[in-house]
Amino acid sequence: YQSLPKSLFDRYGQAGVAALRESTPKDTGLTGESWSYDVEKTGSGYRISFSNSNVQNGVPVALLIQLGHGTTGGTFVKGIDYINPALRPIFDKLAKDIWKEVSGE
């Protein structure tokens, strides 16, 4: 995958951020607006990483929403799996586009 253009991965990084913003449960909207991505060249190709900069008291809020968390009152707020469903179609389409590039279809 070394010959694939970085722009292909940037396009899907941007699409992933848009999908994450849309799927993030909204209270204030800050977590949804705090998504970003990075494309890193590796020895075998590229890696897309997504991150969220909304951190409260040292804890990433996006992960609290995804995995669930305890409250100061002693109850547990169940997590909502919103990250995987948002990114799955993005990665499926990326895989198809990569296949087209490498197979010449």
Side-chain angles (χ1 to χ4, degrees):
Y1 302 118
Q2 293 276 359
S3 64
L4 294 171
K6 181 180 180 286
S7 61
L8 175 71
F9 296 92
D10 280 321
R11 185 173 66 212
Y12 282 98
Q14 293 166 7
V17 165
L20 288 165
R21 283 184 177 150
E22 181 65 29
S23 69
T24 301
K26 290 166 185 58
D27 182 17
T28 66
L30 179 59
T31 303
E33 292 301 317
S34 298
W35 288 105
S36 62
Y37 78 96
D38 184 55
V39 175
E40 175 187 358
K41 188 162 180 60
T42 68
S44 60
Y46 292 97
R47 175 182 307 134
I48 301 175
S49 301
F50 294 94
S51 60
N52 191 288
S53 60
N54 185 14
V55 177
Q56 301 294 320
N57 299 321
V59 181
V61 174
L63 291 182
L64 292 177
I65 297 168
Q66 174 78 17
L67 302 174
H69 58 91
T71 67
T72 56
T75 61
F76 183 77
V77 177
K78 185 178 177 185
I80 302 168
D81 183 12
Y82 70 98
I83 295 173
N84 295 309
L87 291 179
R88 188 171 296 117
I90 305 297
F91 289 139
D92 289 347
K93 179 86 169 82
L94 174 60
K96 287 179 185 177
D97 281 356
I98 289 172
W99 179 250
K100 285 179 189 175
E101 285 281 333
V102 298
S103 68
E105 289 184 7

